[in-house]
mmCIF file of all heavy atoms in Angstrom:
data_model
loop_
_atom_site.group_PDB
_atom_site.id
_atom_site.type_symbol
_atom_site.label_atom_id
_atom_site.label_comp_id
_atom_site.label_asym_id
_atom_site.label_seq_id
_atom_site.Cartn_x
_atom_site.Cartn_y
_atom_site.Cartn_z
ATOM 1 N N GLY A 309 120.865 86.405 134.612
ATOM 2 C CA GLY A 309 119.483 86.813 134.832
ATOM 3 C C GLY A 309 118.489 85.844 134.246
ATOM 4 O O GLY A 309 117.389 85.683 134.765
ATOM 5 N N VAL A 311 119.156 82.404 133.720
ATOM 6 C CA VAL A 311 119.274 81.108 134.356
ATOM 7 C C VAL A 311 118.871 81.153 135.813
ATOM 8 O O VAL A 311 118.325 80.214 136.336
ATOM 9 C CB VAL A 311 120.732 80.576 134.213
ATOM 10 C CG1 VAL A 311 120.917 79.293 134.965
ATOM 11 C CG2 VAL A 311 121.042 80.371 132.748
ATOM 12 N N ASP A 312 119.113 82.257 136.503
ATOM 13 C CA ASP A 312 118.799 82.356 137.922
ATOM 14 C C ASP A 312 117.703 83.392 138.124
ATOM 15 O O ASP A 312 117.965 84.574 138.205
ATOM 16 C CB ASP A 312 120.055 82.751 138.711
ATOM 17 C CG ASP A 312 119.823 82.711 140.214
ATOM 18 O OD1 ASP A 312 118.668 82.526 140.642
ATOM 19 O OD2 ASP A 312 120.806 82.868 140.954
ATOM 20 N N PRO A 313 116.440 82.930 138.198
ATOM 21 C CA PRO A 313 115.320 83.874 138.344
ATOM 22 C C PRO A 313 115.443 84.769 139.574
ATOM 23 O O PRO A 313 114.899 85.873 139.592
ATOM 24 C CB PRO A 313 114.100 82.960 138.474
ATOM 25 C CG PRO A 313 114.521 81.670 137.897
ATOM 26 C CD PRO A 313 116.001 81.555 138.143
ATOM 27 N N GLU A 314 116.178 84.334 140.606
ATOM 28 C CA GLU A 314 116.343 85.182 141.800
ATOM 29 C C GLU A 314 117.152 86.429 141.479
ATOM 30 O O GLU A 314 117.144 87.377 142.251
ATOM 31 C CB GLU A 314 116.991 84.378 142.926
ATOM 32 C CG GLU A 314 116.077 83.297 143.458
ATOM 33 C CD GLU A 314 116.683 82.535 144.622
ATOM 34 O OE1 GLU A 314 117.672 83.023 145.206
ATOM 35 O OE2 GLU A 314 116.152 81.478 144.935
ATOM 36 N N GLN A 315 117.851 86.433 140.365
ATOM 37 C CA GLN A 315 118.609 87.615 139.958
ATOM 38 C C GLN A 315 117.705 88.651 139.278
ATOM 39 O O GLN A 315 118.156 89.697 138.877
ATOM 40 C CB GLN A 315 119.758 87.238 139.012
ATOM 41 C CG GLN A 315 120.790 86.330 139.661
ATOM 42 C CD GLN A 315 121.508 87.010 140.800
ATOM 43 O OE1 GLN A 315 121.826 88.187 140.746
ATOM 44 N NE2 GLN A 315 121.758 86.264 141.859
ATOM 45 N N GLY A 316 116.426 88.320 139.090
ATOM 46 C CA GLY A 316 115.474 89.279 138.558
ATOM 47 C C GLY A 316 115.169 89.138 137.091
ATOM 48 O O GLY A 316 114.380 89.885 136.541
ATOM 49 N N GLY A 317 115.787 88.193 136.430
ATOM 50 C CA GLY A 317 115.518 87.986 135.009
ATOM 51 C C GLY A 317 116.211 89.002 134.136
ATOM 52 O O GLY A 317 116.802 89.981 134.614
#
Side-chain angles (χ1 to χ4, degrees):
V311 175
D312 187 352
E314 291 183 16
Q315 297 296 321

